[in-house]
């Protein structure tokens, strides 16, 4: 499920373009926010599933303590959903694109051979070492090897500083 609106790669205008060095330099902050996002995303998903199971085919009745408790749980879920959006907004403000809340998946817009690509990072990775085309997603990610990218200075490659 994607939270952003669908747009063609021609229409995409990133807030920031990252080199590999810049992406790795932002990882301490990105890792902290993505960690919070991943943890809360999983908690919210688990609570939503439990709530759906508890509700089942039950019809709430006025004055029912059980219904009041369920309403309170739903209100807490709404608050946590707003917190999730705040984490997403924080990441986007940094110029990165959160792609998978529970997985802690984040993309950094970058240039390769003059075209936009994503540097791809996942919460359990120590540094940014993968990339993929804008429309390829996680399944299309490839290793950042010196031979596969432009690593000469000043040519719009991923390793420019």
């Amino acid at each position: 499920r994607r939270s952003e609106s669908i747009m063609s790669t021609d229409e995409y205008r990133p807030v920031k373009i990252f080199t590999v060095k810049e992406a790795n330099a932002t990882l301490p902050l990105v890792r902290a926010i993505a960690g919070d996002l991943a943890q809360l995303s999983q908690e919210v998903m688990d609570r939503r599933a439990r709530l759906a199971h508890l509700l089942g085919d039950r019809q709430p009745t006025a004055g029912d303590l059980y219904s009041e408790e369920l309403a309170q749980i739903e209100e807490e879920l709404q608050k946590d959903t707003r917190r999730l959006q705040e984490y997403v907004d924080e990441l986007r403000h940094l110029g990165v694109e959160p792609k998978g809340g529970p997985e802690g998946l984040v993309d950094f817009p970058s240039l390769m051979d003059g075209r936009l690509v994503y540097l791809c990072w996942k919460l359990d990775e120590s540094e940014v070492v993968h990339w993929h085309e804008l429309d390829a997603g996680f399944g299309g990610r490839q290793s950042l090897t010196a031979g596969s990218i432009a690593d000469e200075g000043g040519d719009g490659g991923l390793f420019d500083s």
Side-chain angles (χ1 to χ4, degrees), residues 45-109:
M45 287 174 27
D46 292 346
R47 282 188 282 153
R48 284 193 193 284
R50 284 195 306 271
L51 184 61
H53 178 74
L54 289 173
L55 287 173
D57 294 328
R58 182 174 167 73
Q59 295 298 320
T61 56
D64 179 3
L65 292 176
Y66 184 71
S67 293
E68 289 175 20
E69 184 177 352
L70 290 175
Q72 182 179 356
I73 292 170
E74 285 182 16
E75 183 178 324
E76 290 170 8
L77 279 171
Q78 289 174 0
K79 286 179 186 176
D80 283 343
T81 300
R82 286 190 295 274
R83 281 183 46 216
L84 286 173
Q85 186 59 52
E86 290 170 6
Y87 292 144
V88 167
D89 292 344
E90 282 183 58
L91 289 169
R92 288 191 174 146
H93 182 74
L94 294 173
V96 301
E97 297 288 334
K99 297 295 180 168
E103 302 85 17
L105 190 59
V106 176
D107 286 339
F108 296 80

